[in-house]
Amino acid sequence: MFTELDHHYMNIAIELAKKGRFTTTPNPNVGCVIVKDNEIVGRGYHQLAGDAHAEVYALRQAADNAQGATAYVTLEPCSHHGRTPPCAQGLINAGVQRVVAAMVDPNPKVAGKGLAMLQQAGIETAYGLLEDEARALNRGFLKRMEQGLPYVTCKLAASLDGKTALNNGQSKWITGPLARRDVQQFRAQSCAILTGADTVIVDDAKLNVRSDECDIELPQGHTLRQPVRVIIDSQNRLTPDLALFQIQAPIIIFRTHLDNNHQWPHFVEQIELPTEQTKVSCRAALKELANRGINTVWLESGATLAGVFAQQQLIDEYVVYLAPKLIGHQGKSLFNLPEITMMENVNQLEFTDVTQIGDDIRVTAKTC
């Protein structure tokens, strides 16, 4: 059904889509390539929510050459009026002859309607080319559309014997500077960074993206976006004097009841959520974030909150930095989990990547 050239051009579109991974949230990353007479005449990718979609940029570059051309796009062209006009209509108006989409858009506002619009206009359509690669571009967007939850990545740092801190709580620094810089790249791609009140208080954590530690190529004219910082504070322990609140970027605090005893900065929003055993429901927190357009959550927390997320099967992927150090059995562990007495009941993961980052090793594993 698809030729070698089709694969070649779709691969280019996928690489273009990756350029928007720091800026497009809550929209998906999308790339588009327009080809005529085996020559690329237009390239584009979605750069910013509310800005032109990938197809628009590619069509602008192609101009009159789009007539009779083939458009390769990593996600089905949209068919509805949102903040921008429908891309399917733009392709029709430009006179393209064929449209190849890597996958159908799961957004209910599209969900096949874009391809149907193109077909009704007499344009040849196809989809499913490099779909796995296209889905990997937008794991969070797809999970939010299909399951109503964001994609959660749990970041951990530990010694080789699996300890996150000394018994007295000291943890700076287990990993080296290159590993810590690497974390900034992941933070910058995430829609939200989530942790618990304990981590904020003990570490006086800011949970921001430090631009001086990022080597990120942004679209022209765009600045580095700070993810939403999300704190689960079931016992109202946070206070406005913490370093977290000295950086003016959006903060959401999930609580069992609102704290009206402090004057909070204007960028802080308190949300009261249902409880589980007197604590904020982690699943309810994720659902609330998904309802707000949060596609991906970067979980950086202590062993207790990480253990709750793991036990409730709310983590999709683990990114663990292992340092060549030994702390000993009295050190603090990665997770607080209930005792498991049978091997068949342990949490099974699948390793997807192992990369050396400076002196440390980054291990990535997804849940099965």
Side-chain angles (χ1 to χ4, degrees):
M1 181 179 177
F2 297 114
T3 68
E4 186 175 337
L5 281 175
D6 287 334
H7 282 79
H8 171 70
Y9 293 127
M10 186 61 78
N11 269 315
I12 294 174
I14 287 172
E15 290 304 310
L16 282 169
K18 292 177 182 178
K19 292 186 175 183
R21 65 191 183 278
F22 298 104
T23 55
T24 64
T25 182
N27 289 358
N29 300 311
V30 182
C32 178
V33 173
I34 297 176
V35 178
K36 187 172 184 178
D37 299 326
N38 290 329
E39 181 181 348
I40 296 176
V41 295
R43 303 171 189 250
Y45 68 96
H46 186 39
Q47 299 181 13
L48 189 71
D51 196 4
H53 288 187
E55 297 92 327
V56 174
Y57 281 110
L59 287 170
R60 285 176 186 170
Q61 192 177 101
D64 293 340
N65 286 322
Q67 182 76 36
T70 295
Y72 296 89
V73 61
T74 58
L75 187 68
E76 174 188 6
C78 62
S79 56
H80 64 290
H81 283 271
R83 284 190 277 182
T84 59
C87 292
Q89 189 61 54
L91 292 165
I92 293 169
N93 295 343
V96 299
Q97 185 177 31
R98 179 178 179 236
V99 174
V100 180
M103 61 175 293
V104 174
D105 190 338
N107 186 340
K109 295 179 180 178
V110 187
K113 299 183 184 72
L115 292 172
M117 182 184 294
L118 294 167
Q119 292 165 1
Q120 289 168 7
I123 296 174
E124 179 187 349
T125 65
Y127 67 90
L129 175 61
L130 299 181
E131 181 169 354
D132 289 345
E133 291 84 347
R135 290 187 68 88
L137 286 170
N138 295 299
R139 300 177 302 181
F141 174 78
L142 296 174
K143 187 180 178 187
R144 179 166 67 88
M145 288 295 164
E146 295 169 351
Q147 301 181 38
L149 292 169
Y151 189 95
V152 178
T153 299
C154 179
K155 172 262 177 181
L156 300 161
S159 60
L160 192 60
D161 54 345
K163 303 301 179 181
T164 62
L166 302 179
N167 190 43
N168 62 13
Q170 290 186 32
S171 63
K172 293 183 179 179
W173 295 101
I174 287 180
T175 55
L178 291 182
R180 298 197 296 274
R181 287 180 67 93
D182 194 58
V183 169
Q184 297 300 311
Q185 304 285 327
F186 284 102
R187 282 187 176 185
Q189 294 180 58
S190 303
C191 300
I193 301 171
L194 188 152
T195 194
D198 273 347
T199 296
V200 174
I201 294 169
V202 172
D203 297 340
D204 203 10
K206 298 176 182 177
L207 299 175
N208 62 317
V209 177
R210 297 188 286 274
S211 57
D212 59 332
E213 295 184 26
C214 293
D215 182 19
I216 295 174
E217 181 181 351
L218 294 172
Q220 187 173 3
H222 297 314
T223 57
L224 188 65
R225 170 188 59 82
Q226 287 292 339
V228 179
R229 292 169 291 168
V230 181
I231 318 300
I232 294 180
D233 183 17
S234 297
Q235 301 175 38
N236 290 4
R237 298 170 58 204
L238 298 180
T239 53
D241 58 305
L242 290 163
L244 179 79
F245 302 106
Q246 311 314 310
I247 298 174
Q248 294 197 31
I251 295 174
I252 294 174
I253 305 177
F254 287 128
R255 294 189 151 126
T256 59
H257 59 280
L258 303 185
D259 178 0
N260 298 315
N261 296 321
H262 295 96
Q263 185 68 39
W264 298 98
H266 66 90
F267 51 85
V268 175
E269 181 180 5
Q270 299 185 74
I271 299 175
E272 190 173 328
L273 285 181
T275 62
E276 288 182 0
Q277 298 180 347
T278 74
K279 300 293 181 66
V280 166
S281 165
C282 294
R283 182 174 293 275
L286 292 179
K287 286 184 176 179
E288 177 64 26
L289 293 176
N291 290 338
R292 291 165 173 258
I294 298 293
N295 293 324
T296 54
V297 169
W298 180 254
L299 175 63
E300 284 195 40
S301 71
T304 299
L305 187 59
V308 172
F309 269 76
Q311 186 180 356
Q312 296 184 7
Q313 299 181 329
L314 296 174
I315 298 173
D316 298 286
E317 181 181 59
Y318 295 84
V319 174
V320 185
Y321 295 88
L322 290 176
K325 299 173 181 176
L326 298 175
I327 288 179
H329 73 281
Q330 291 185 327
K332 296 186 180 296
S333 299
L334 288 167
F335 297 98
N336 292 341
L337 289 170
E339 182 182 4
I340 300 173
T341 58
M342 300 181 69
M343 279 301 297
E344 55 263 34
N345 294 331
V346 302
N347 294 310
Q348 183 67 46
L349 305 175
E350 177 186 343
F351 290 129
T352 58
D353 182 69
V354 178
T355 300
Q356 184 157 355
I357 309 290
D359 293 331
D360 307 308
I361 292 175
R362 186 187 67 208
V363 179
T364 305
K366 65 179 182 181
T367 55
C368 298

